[in-house]
Amino acid sequence: MIDLNHIDDLARRLSQLVPPGLRDSQEELQQTFKSALQAGLAKLDLVTREEFDVQQAVLLRTREARGARAYGRHAGNPAGRQARPVLTPPP
């Protein structure tokens, strides 16, 4: 989840960009910006870097395990493994 302090800071900066004549309701604008930012970010279904790294490691281990199992099935039977043709670009 995104740190709410970052959203507050961004909402504050956005409300400061409003022309001076409209700044009478700066707190209301800041709250509106904050709500809009939170709603938009919630729709994106973001994950933290830590969650991403964990899922990436799980995927890598799964791929390695599947590759090892597939290789183990064919290790005793070399004829069972089909060689892939090498594709070379035309001259």
Side-chain angles (χ1 to χ4, degrees):
M1 189 72 181
I2 293 179
D3 186 6
L4 292 179
N5 291 330
H6 294 299
I7 293 176
D8 287 337
D9 184 48
L10 185 55
R12 188 172 26 266
R13 285 194 243 164
L14 286 171
S15 66
Q16 289 171 350
L17 294 174
V18 174
L22 299 174
R23 286 193 184 166
D24 295 337
S25 58
Q26 187 172 4
E27 284 186 31
E28 183 181 334
L29 284 172
Q30 186 174 336
Q31 186 59 37
T32 302
F33 286 140
K34 181 179 174 182
S35 297
L37 288 168
Q38 286 178 327
L41 291 172
K43 288 180 183 178
L44 294 177
D45 195 25
L46 300 173
V47 296
T48 63
R49 183 67 196 190
E50 182 181 353
E51 290 173 303
F52 178 82
D53 290 341
V54 167
Q55 289 301 316
Q56 188 176 27
V58 168
L59 178 61
L60 180 62
R61 285 194 307 266
T62 303
R63 285 181 177 166
E64 289 172 349
R66 288 187 71 200
R69 283 196 305 263
Y71 182 76
R73 274 196 300 255
H74 300 293
N77 183 6
R81 284 187 64 141
Q82 295 181 356
R84 294 185 179 184
V86 176
L87 300 177
T88 56

